[in-house]
Amino acid sequence: MQRIALHTRLRPGREAEYDRVHQVIPAELDGALRAAGVRSWRIWRDGRDLFHLVEVSDYQRMRHELRDHPANVPWQARMAELLEVRDDYSGDDSGLSLVWELPVRDEEAA
């Protein structure tokens, strides 16, 4: 399972709308994400900055599968209205580079 961190940024004044839209995502999108191998997707917001943590079996495969998926295309169009930079799933994005994490000690892993 991969853990992918992402950063996106909202257009000015779109914070409340973004939060409202994400209260419930469409059931079809939920199903498409899960079918594409997403185990969880969390988003934190600090002002206009969004930080995502995605747990997925294969991030590149997920992006490829969702690029033209009928549930994802309208969702991405909606997000394009709210985000500074549109994500059309055409690139080879691999998320943010991990710089450091607190290692798990052997006694904690058990």
Side-chain angles (χ1 to χ4, degrees):
M1 190 65 56
Q2 296 177 301
R3 287 184 310 167
I4 306 294
L6 306 169
H7 172 253
T8 54
R9 188 166 174 88
L10 293 170
R11 294 175 190 241
R14 304 312 280 272
E15 299 89 343
E17 186 177 359
Y18 184 88
D19 291 355
R20 189 172 49 255
V21 168
H22 278 82
Q23 287 178 353
V24 178
I25 67 166
E28 299 82 14
L29 180 60
D30 181 289
L33 289 166
R34 293 175 193 279
V38 176
R39 184 166 130 197
S40 75
W41 194 315
R42 296 175 178 96
I43 304 171
W44 291 265
R45 184 172 65 75
D46 181 20
R48 293 175 41 220
D49 291 299
L50 302 166
F51 302 93
H52 309 245
L53 181 60
V54 184
E55 293 182 12
V56 60
S57 56
D58 182 329
Y59 183 67
Q60 292 300 321
R61 181 178 61 81
M62 180 267 301
R63 288 181 57 83
H64 176 75
E65 289 181 19
L66 292 178
R67 180 177 178 186
D68 298 316
H69 193 285
N72 190 47
V73 170
W75 180 258
Q76 291 307 319
R78 179 69 173 109
M79 292 302 101
E81 298 170 3
L82 305 175
L83 298 173
E84 280 191 348
V85 177
R86 175 189 173 101
D87 184 0
D88 64 1
Y89 281 62
S90 63
D92 59 357
D93 169 57
S94 59
L96 300 173
S97 298
L98 178 63
V99 175
W100 181 87
E101 72 178 302
L102 183 66
V104 175
R105 294 183 178 163
D106 289 338
E107 64 271 12
E108 295 171 344

